[in-house]
Amino acid sequence: MSAEEPADRDETLWHGNRMAAGGTGDIVQARDVHGGVHFHRSEPGTEARFAITPSQLPGDVRGFVNRHAELAHLTNALAVDPEEPSAAALMVLTGTAGVGKTSLALHWAHGVRHQFPDGQLYVNLRGYDPGTPATPEQVLDRFLRDLGVPVTAIPIHLDDRASLYRSLLADRRILVILDNAATVGQVRPLLPGTASCLSLVTSRSRLSGLIARHGALRVGVDILQEDDAVALLGNVTARYRVDDQRHELVELVRLCARLPLALRIAAERAASRPMMRLDELIADLRDESGLWDALTADGEDDTDAVRTVFAWSYRALPEPAARLFRLLGLHPGNEFGLSAAAALSGTDTSSVRRDLDVLVGAHLLEQPAPGRYQFHDLLRAYALDQVRLLEPADTHAEVLQRVLGWYLHTADAAQSRISPFDRYHLTVPVPPDVHPLAFDDYTSALRWYQTEAANLVGATRAAAEAELHTLAWQLAAVLRAIYIHQNAFDDWLTTSRIGVDSATRSGDRTGQAEAWENVGKACFQSRRLDEAETSHRAALSIRQSLGDRFGEAKSTNALGLISLRRRRLADARSFFDQSRAIFHDLGERRWEALMQSNLAETLCELQQPQAAAEILHEALTVFRELGDHFGVGNALFLLSWAHRGLGDLARARADIDEALTIAEDDENEVWQAHWLVELGHVQRAAEQPADALVSYQRAAAIQRQLGDRSREAFAIEGAGQAYQQLGRLADATDFYRVAAATHRALGDRWRQALCLQHLADALELQNSPEEARVCWEQTLPLLADFDDPEASSLRRRITQALSDG
């Protein structure tokens, strides 16, 4: 197996697990060997342990008033003992837009957070945002990461993610806030499966399905009572205005329809004009209301009052801030940073910060963190209305090109730090007056990506919708190397498929090939092998028609990797030979060396270690010259495998020791864990099973932490072999059973067959011939798909054992 290197994971085979649903079963406590080897017992389904206690509640609302009845409903339903019948595991706050559902939810949540010592999760589902709502898949991906699940352990499919999420929350006390939900389907997969947790949902819809099926408590959030609405105004204005009369405040409250969102905006405007009489402000707002009524078909809708207040506040802005507000409606997400706003507006960050401060002061924007800003969804919709009404189409295009170009080139800068060997060379230039960010190191680049992940998907979609098709597919191509590192399959598949559509619409054949390759890599890494093969064949066909030899070689290599993963070894060897020949003709030394490594792995699987060793020495020389640490380490790992196959254990040990030194020097646990298994194999071959057991244990422990069940199973299987070599057959069978169950769960028929064969051997040595026979009978059908020498030899051996029995 080739080791994983994030930068080259698409060029060398990544056998690692990408699934984590369900458990591997019980890992049996092993008795000590040389005083220190323990494989600890884990409960099924809990491989990913809590590493983090999330504390995600946004800040409490300043100037919160009343809502005593609603707060009492929520608090009374929160029983101290979750087993009591009065305990509610699910609550739903419903009410019209702008009525203050989120403010109420957060205010109450801050008051009870001490009752949830295991943490609080929060997400804005954006159910009514002008953009794309958050999907359950996306939210579960984020929640699982926030709960400490390694990216490699997050399952691909929604049901599997929901199952792991519920397992992690079982018997824990966590508060989950699901804000701005549009539908029951958006919420249901995000609900914990235990009464010890509480979910609080806010929505403009009644979400009757949650009440009928899940027994949710619904709490209606109505408009404020008059006295409360007046109190809310006073909380903001009292320090600045002392002469306002109650009847004037009551009239202002009426014009705001007693909706908190509108009241806060109106109060802020009144507070910012302390010398202006309140009746003048009211007359101004009344005129605005009359104008709005004339422009709308239904003046009775409460949200019309909100939009009236928006317009009233918006028209009072200085022109630079007003223009920025409406241009921000074109931003591809409702949350953004200072630099993105500067790129969108075509100004410098100092100027745009002043205008953003004006908008925050007017309550037209919120500032959840330093340098970050966000819209209420109603305000974003209003900004979008204004930009469409007041700005010409060519301005729309210019603004979009600026902000989307900023995202493209900043993502490219981030990628260059995260994956320097996988740069995509852009043809879309940096727009004038746009200054993409630069990053000093891997950590800052990754942090930027994590903050902007949703906006990057939105930017790709926005580029396609604006018919900026080259920008769309190139942004998808740039993001690929980042997604490879993060296993961000949902976003990766979304953007890559947008890229295919955009490249097709633009008629860009080179772009189509690149986009199909992107889809293929996403599918390959997420184990959708049939779709991966179809995509890579589409890319190969286009590249062959264009005479793109470099691209043809890359696509051919990708097909080789798919064949190797499926253990179609003859096909894999043919593909790698073809690809290697092209890269040699093109003078692409690093790519040729990568193909030599892939070919060598295939030869090791074909039990041709001498041929593998010969080409690995060539590849190793190139990698050393290029300073490619992964290339060197992976070649040494494969050389160890080849030398072990040749019986040269001294050289095999030297090879794997050097590889592990590289992993340690680079502090790369992924390499270390994988290569430790080969060290264990070498130690077993050298009749050092106790030492091998230590190596396997270290590998399994790291893989457990990384969440890679497949490679963890390899280490557990190796431990079984070490125990068998030590004569501890009962321990060996326990470990084989665990490893075989994992391989079966992951659909790895070849590794399952090998493990069952080991188990049968151990059972036979324990004088359990009937159990051994059952294992052989299970193994034979698994081998039907494979015709390589090792598979054929194993098939003959099992057939003979069954006939002898």
mmCIF file of all heavy atoms in Angstrom, residues 761-784:
data_model
loop_
_atom_site.group_PDB
_atom_site.id
_atom_site.type_symbol
_atom_site.label_atom_id
_atom_site.label_comp_id
_atom_site.label_asym_id
_atom_site.label_seq_id
_atom_site.Cartn_x
_atom_site.Cartn_y
_atom_site.Cartn_z
ATOM 1 N N ASP A 761 -6.191 -20.504 10.043
ATOM 2 C CA ASP A 761 -4.935 -21.144 10.446
ATOM 3 C C ASP A 761 -4.819 -21.213 11.970
ATOM 4 O O ASP A 761 -4.427 -22.243 12.536
ATOM 5 C CB ASP A 761 -3.743 -20.365 9.881
ATOM 6 C CG ASP A 761 -3.577 -20.557 8.381
ATOM 7 O OD1 ASP A 761 -4.186 -21.495 7.830
ATOM 8 O OD2 ASP A 761 -2.856 -19.745 7.761
ATOM 9 N N ALA A 762 -5.161 -20.108 12.624
ATOM 10 C CA ALA A 762 -5.063 -20.071 14.081
ATOM 11 C C ALA A 762 -6.049 -21.037 14.721
ATOM 12 O O ALA A 762 -5.729 -21.711 15.721
ATOM 13 C CB ALA A 762 -5.298 -18.651 14.595
ATOM 14 N N LEU A 763 -7.251 -21.128 14.177
ATOM 15 C CA LEU A 763 -8.256 -22.041 14.714
ATOM 16 C C LEU A 763 -7.834 -23.495 14.532
ATOM 17 O O LEU A 763 -8.041 -24.346 15.408
ATOM 18 C CB LEU A 763 -9.602 -21.786 14.041
ATOM 19 C CG LEU A 763 -10.294 -20.474 14.428
ATOM 20 C CD1 LEU A 763 -11.457 -20.188 13.485
ATOM 21 C CD2 LEU A 763 -10.778 -20.521 15.876
ATOM 22 N N GLU A 764 -7.219 -23.775 13.379
ATOM 23 C CA GLU A 764 -6.760 -25.150 13.125
ATOM 24 C C GLU A 764 -5.684 -25.533 14.125
ATOM 25 O O GLU A 764 -5.663 -26.664 14.633
ATOM 26 C CB GLU A 764 -6.252 -25.270 11.693
ATOM 27 C CG GLU A 764 -6.100 -26.720 11.235
ATOM 28 C CD GLU A 764 -5.763 -26.816 9.753
ATOM 29 O OE1 GLU A 764 -5.031 -25.927 9.262
ATOM 30 O OE2 GLU A 764 -6.216 -27.768 9.113
ATOM 31 N N LEU A 765 -4.795 -24.586 14.448
ATOM 32 C CA LEU A 765 -3.749 -24.857 15.433
ATOM 33 C C LEU A 765 -4.322 -25.047 16.827
ATOM 34 O O LEU A 765 -3.683 -25.658 17.691
ATOM 35 C CB LEU A 765 -2.725 -23.713 15.437
ATOM 36 C CG LEU A 765 -1.829 -23.607 14.203
ATOM 37 C CD1 LEU A 765 -1.026 -22.310 14.232
ATOM 38 C CD2 LEU A 765 -0.898 -24.817 14.114
ATOM 39 N N GLN A 766 -5.529 -24.522 17.057
ATOM 40 C CA GLN A 766 -6.195 -24.687 18.354
ATOM 41 C C GLN A 766 -7.114 -25.910 18.369
ATOM 42 O O GLN A 766 -7.945 -26.041 19.274
ATOM 43 C CB GLN A 766 -7.012 -23.435 18.687
ATOM 44 C CG GLN A 766 -6.162 -22.200 18.933
ATOM 45 C CD GLN A 766 -7.032 -20.985 19.210
ATOM 46 O OE1 GLN A 766 -7.547 -20.816 20.302
ATOM 47 N NE2 GLN A 766 -7.187 -20.149 18.208
ATOM 48 N N ASN A 767 -6.964 -26.759 17.341
ATOM 49 C CA ASN A 767 -7.793 -27.959 17.242
ATOM 50 C C ASN A 767 -9.281 -27.627 17.150
ATOM 51 O O ASN A 767 -10.118 -28.250 17.821
ATOM 52 C CB ASN A 767 -7.536 -28.895 18.438
ATOM 53 C CG ASN A 767 -6.108 -29.419 18.469
ATOM 54 O OD1 ASN A 767 -5.581 -29.833 17.425
ATOM 55 N ND2 ASN A 767 -5.484 -29.400 19.638
ATOM 56 N N SER A 768 -9.567 -26.626 16.329
ATOM 57 C CA SER A 768 -10.964 -26.255 16.069
ATOM 58 C C SER A 768 -11.218 -26.373 14.568
ATOM 59 O O SER A 768 -11.440 -25.366 13.875
ATOM 60 C CB SER A 768 -11.246 -24.830 16.557
ATOM 61 O OG SER A 768 -11.029 -24.712 17.932
ATOM 62 N N PRO A 769 -11.183 -27.601 14.031
ATOM 63 C CA PRO A 769 -11.264 -27.761 12.573
ATOM 64 C C PRO A 769 -12.602 -27.308 11.988
ATOM 65 O O PRO A 769 -12.635 -26.818 10.861
ATOM 66 C CB PRO A 769 -11.044 -29.260 12.377
ATOM 67 C CG PRO A 769 -11.439 -29.883 13.690
ATOM 68 C CD PRO A 769 -11.029 -28.895 14.724
ATOM 69 N N GLU A 770 -13.685 -27.473 12.746
ATOM 70 C CA GLU A 770 -14.986 -27.066 12.201
ATOM 71 C C GLU A 770 -15.064 -25.555 12.031
ATOM 72 O O GLU A 770 -15.578 -25.048 11.028
ATOM 73 C CB GLU A 770 -16.114 -27.573 13.098
ATOM 74 C CG GLU A 770 -16.279 -29.077 13.085
ATOM 75 C CD GLU A 770 -16.477 -29.598 11.667
ATOM 76 O OE1 GLU A 770 -17.248 -28.975 10.903
ATOM 77 O OE2 GLU A 770 -15.844 -30.616 11.311
ATOM 78 N N GLU A 771 -14.571 -24.830 13.035
ATOM 79 C CA GLU A 771 -14.560 -23.369 12.920
ATOM 80 C C GLU A 771 -13.632 -22.924 11.790
ATOM 81 O O GLU A 771 -13.923 -21.963 11.067
ATOM 82 C CB GLU A 771 -14.123 -22.740 14.235
ATOM 83 C CG GLU A 771 -15.134 -22.827 15.353
ATOM 84 C CD GLU A 771 -14.683 -22.063 16.585
ATOM 85 O OE1 GLU A 771 -14.854 -20.836 16.616
ATOM 86 O OE2 GLU A 771 -14.134 -22.709 17.512
ATOM 87 N N ALA A 772 -12.499 -23.611 11.653
ATOM 88 C CA ALA A 772 -11.582 -23.276 10.563
ATOM 89 C C ALA A 772 -12.268 -23.497 9.220
ATOM 90 O O ALA A 772 -12.117 -22.681 8.285
ATOM 91 C CB ALA A 772 -10.312 -24.120 10.668
ATOM 92 N N ARG A 773 -13.000 -24.581 9.122
ATOM 93 C CA ARG A 773 -13.696 -24.886 7.871
ATOM 94 C C ARG A 773 -14.709 -23.784 7.521
ATOM 95 O O ARG A 773 -14.822 -23.371 6.363
ATOM 96 C CB ARG A 773 -14.393 -26.242 7.981
ATOM 97 C CG ARG A 773 -15.073 -26.689 6.690
ATOM 98 C CD ARG A 773 -15.719 -28.052 6.827
ATOM 99 N NE ARG A 773 -16.243 -28.488 5.548
ATOM 100 C CZ ARG A 773 -15.534 -29.121 4.612
ATOM 101 N NH1 ARG A 773 -14.259 -29.393 4.842
ATOM 102 N NH2 ARG A 773 -16.082 -29.472 3.469
ATOM 103 N N VAL A 774 -15.437 -23.318 8.535
ATOM 104 C CA VAL A 774 -16.388 -22.221 8.293
ATOM 105 C C VAL A 774 -15.668 -21.007 7.716
ATOM 106 O O VAL A 774 -16.148 -20.362 6.775
ATOM 107 C CB VAL A 774 -17.124 -21.857 9.599
ATOM 108 C CG1 VAL A 774 -17.938 -20.564 9.402
ATOM 109 C CG2 VAL A 774 -18.046 -22.992 10.034
ATOM 110 N N CYS A 775 -14.504 -20.684 8.265
ATOM 111 C CA CYS A 775 -13.736 -19.534 7.761
ATOM 112 C C CYS A 775 -13.313 -19.759 6.308
ATOM 113 O O CYS A 775 -13.397 -18.836 5.481
ATOM 114 C CB CYS A 775 -12.497 -19.303 8.622
ATOM 115 S SG CYS A 775 -12.866 -18.669 10.267
ATOM 116 N N TRP A 776 -12.854 -20.951 5.986
ATOM 117 C CA TRP A 776 -12.444 -21.223 4.602
ATOM 118 C C TRP A 776 -13.634 -21.115 3.643
ATOM 119 O O TRP A 776 -13.504 -20.587 2.544
ATOM 120 C CB TRP A 776 -11.819 -22.617 4.508
ATOM 121 C CG TRP A 776 -10.415 -22.680 5.068
ATOM 122 C CD1 TRP A 776 -9.450 -21.730 4.961
ATOM 123 C CD2 TRP A 776 -9.846 -23.755 5.810
ATOM 124 N NE1 TRP A 776 -8.303 -22.130 5.577
ATOM 125 C CE2 TRP A 776 -8.499 -23.376 6.113
ATOM 126 C CE3 TRP A 776 -10.305 -25.006 6.246
ATOM 127 C CZ2 TRP A 776 -7.643 -24.196 6.831
ATOM 128 C CZ3 TRP A 776 -9.448 -25.835 6.955
ATOM 129 C CH2 TRP A 776 -8.134 -25.423 7.250
ATOM 130 N N GLU A 777 -14.773 -21.625 4.098
ATOM 131 C CA GLU A 777 -15.963 -21.555 3.253
ATOM 132 C C GLU A 777 -16.406 -20.105 3.018
ATOM 133 O O GLU A 777 -16.944 -19.772 1.957
ATOM 134 C CB GLU A 777 -17.099 -22.365 3.885
ATOM 135 C CG GLU A 777 -16.856 -23.875 3.835
ATOM 136 C CD GLU A 777 -17.900 -24.657 4.619
ATOM 137 O OE1 GLU A 777 -18.639 -24.028 5.412
ATOM 138 O OE2 GLU A 777 -17.974 -25.903 4.450
ATOM 139 N N GLN A 778 -16.177 -19.250 4.003
ATOM 140 C CA GLN A 778 -16.492 -17.826 3.837
ATOM 141 C C GLN A 778 -15.469 -17.134 2.933
ATOM 142 O O GLN A 778 -15.791 -16.165 2.249
ATOM 143 C CB GLN A 778 -16.516 -17.128 5.199
ATOM 144 C CG GLN A 778 -17.659 -17.557 6.098
ATOM 145 C CD GLN A 778 -17.561 -16.930 7.487
ATOM 146 O OE1 GLN A 778 -16.546 -16.337 7.846
ATOM 147 N NE2 GLN A 778 -18.619 -17.077 8.269
ATOM 148 N N THR A 779 -14.253 -17.649 2.934
ATOM 149 C CA THR A 779 -13.166 -16.995 2.192
ATOM 150 C C THR A 779 -13.263 -17.234 0.689
ATOM 151 O O THR A 779 -13.018 -16.317 -0.111
ATOM 152 C CB THR A 779 -11.803 -17.484 2.711
ATOM 153 O OG1 THR A 779 -11.718 -17.247 4.111
ATOM 154 C CG2 THR A 779 -10.656 -16.770 2.006
ATOM 155 N N LEU A 780 -13.611 -18.436 0.280
ATOM 156 C CA LEU A 780 -13.593 -18.772 -1.145
ATOM 157 C C LEU A 780 -14.413 -17.813 -2.007
ATOM 158 O O LEU A 780 -13.919 -17.337 -3.044
ATOM 159 C CB LEU A 780 -14.064 -20.217 -1.355
ATOM 160 C CG LEU A 780 -12.984 -21.303 -1.360
ATOM 161 C CD1 LEU A 780 -13.597 -22.664 -1.642
ATOM 162 C CD2 LEU A 780 -11.901 -20.997 -2.392
ATOM 163 N N PRO A 781 -15.666 -17.495 -1.653
ATOM 164 C CA PRO A 781 -16.419 -16.553 -2.503
ATOM 165 C C PRO A 781 -15.773 -15.174 -2.588
ATOM 166 O O PRO A 781 -15.907 -14.482 -3.612
ATOM 167 C CB PRO A 781 -17.788 -16.472 -1.803
ATOM 168 C CG PRO A 781 -17.878 -17.700 -0.966
ATOM 169 C CD PRO A 781 -16.491 -18.005 -0.544
ATOM 170 N N LEU A 782 -15.085 -14.773 -1.534
ATOM 171 C CA LEU A 782 -14.430 -13.465 -1.541
ATOM 172 C C LEU A 782 -13.299 -13.407 -2.564
ATOM 173 O O LEU A 782 -12.971 -12.335 -3.087
ATOM 174 C CB LEU A 782 -13.867 -13.144 -0.153
ATOM 175 C CG LEU A 782 -14.890 -13.002 0.980
ATOM 176 C CD1 LEU A 782 -14.167 -12.864 2.319
ATOM 177 C CD2 LEU A 782 -15.804 -11.809 0.742
ATOM 178 N N LEU A 783 -12.691 -14.565 -2.856
ATOM 179 C CA LEU A 783 -11.556 -14.609 -3.767
ATOM 180 C C LEU A 783 -11.968 -14.692 -5.229
ATOM 181 O O LEU A 783 -11.118 -14.605 -6.123
ATOM 182 C CB LEU A 783 -10.670 -15.810 -3.428
ATOM 183 C CG LEU A 783 -9.983 -15.779 -2.056
ATOM 184 C CD1 LEU A 783 -9.312 -17.110 -1.774
ATOM 185 C CD2 LEU A 783 -8.970 -14.640 -2.004
ATOM 186 N N ALA A 784 -13.269 -14.832 -5.477
ATOM 187 C CA ALA A 784 -13.729 -15.042 -6.854
ATOM 188 C C ALA A 784 -13.404 -13.868 -7.766
ATOM 189 O O ALA A 784 -13.259 -14.036 -8.983
ATOM 190 C CB ALA A 784 -15.236 -15.314 -6.854
#
